[in-house]
């Protein structure tokens, strides 16, 4: 591992591969509704970071695999921490959509 790898965030493309192979997984977009409308990943739920406490209404199973993303990876990291504090045991920050190489849904 090189020194520059220390500063690299999660890889959203790899995270999506893991999401697709996980049973009963949830893909969570924590960007604002406006950002979401500008383009999002297929098959996700939009729960903005500001309302992340409402996730329990959307994901009732605390052990469900939850893959979280945002624009750059910062908010998804915050959301993953909050979800862990809420008792979700299988949460992964997959980074930011800015690094996504596929097509987005509008």
């Amino acid at each position: 591992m090189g020194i520059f790898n220390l500063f690299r965030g999660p890889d959203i493309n790899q995270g999506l591969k893991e999401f697709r192979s996980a049973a009963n997984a949830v893909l969570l977009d924590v960007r604002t509704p406006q950002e979401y409308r500008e383009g999002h990943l297929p098959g996700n739920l939009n729960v903005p970071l500001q309302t992340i406490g409402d996730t329990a209404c959307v994901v009732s199973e605390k052990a469900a695999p939850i893959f979280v993303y945002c624009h750059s990876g910062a908010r998804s990291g915050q959301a993953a921490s909050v979800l862990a504090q809420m008792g979700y045991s299988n949460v992964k920050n997959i980074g930011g959509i800015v690094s996504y190489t596929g097509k987005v849904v509008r």
Side-chain angles (χ1 to χ4, degrees):
M1 175 166 84
I3 185 115
F4 295 107
N5 289 336
L6 293 174
F7 302 108
R8 187 172 39 191
D11 179 355
I12 193 167
N13 298 294
Q14 179 59 38
L16 283 172
K17 287 180 186 175
E18 294 173 24
F19 161 72
R20 290 180 185 123
S21 67
N24 301 317
V26 176
L27 182 60
L28 200 61
D29 181 333
V30 295
R31 297 175 303 146
T32 66
Q34 180 176 341
E35 289 175 300
Y36 184 82
R37 286 188 298 272
E38 291 171 1
H40 55 273
L41 302 177
N44 70 48
L45 299 172
N46 181 228
V47 179
L49 178 60
Q50 297 83 350
T51 62
I52 199 68
D54 297 339
T55 302
C57 298
V58 178
V59 183
S60 58
E61 178 58 49
K62 298 282 186 172
I66 302 175
F67 295 81
V68 187
Y69 77 94
C70 64
H71 179 76
S72 68
R75 284 176 285 177
S76 55
Q78 292 174 355
S81 294
V82 171
L83 289 168
Q85 291 172 359
M86 291 172 61
Y88 290 92
S89 60
N90 196 1
V91 180
K92 182 169 186 172
N93 172 13
I94 62 171
I97 196 170
V98 70
S99 300
Y100 179 54
T101 58
K103 291 188 178 199
V104 296
V105 177
R106 295 183 195 266

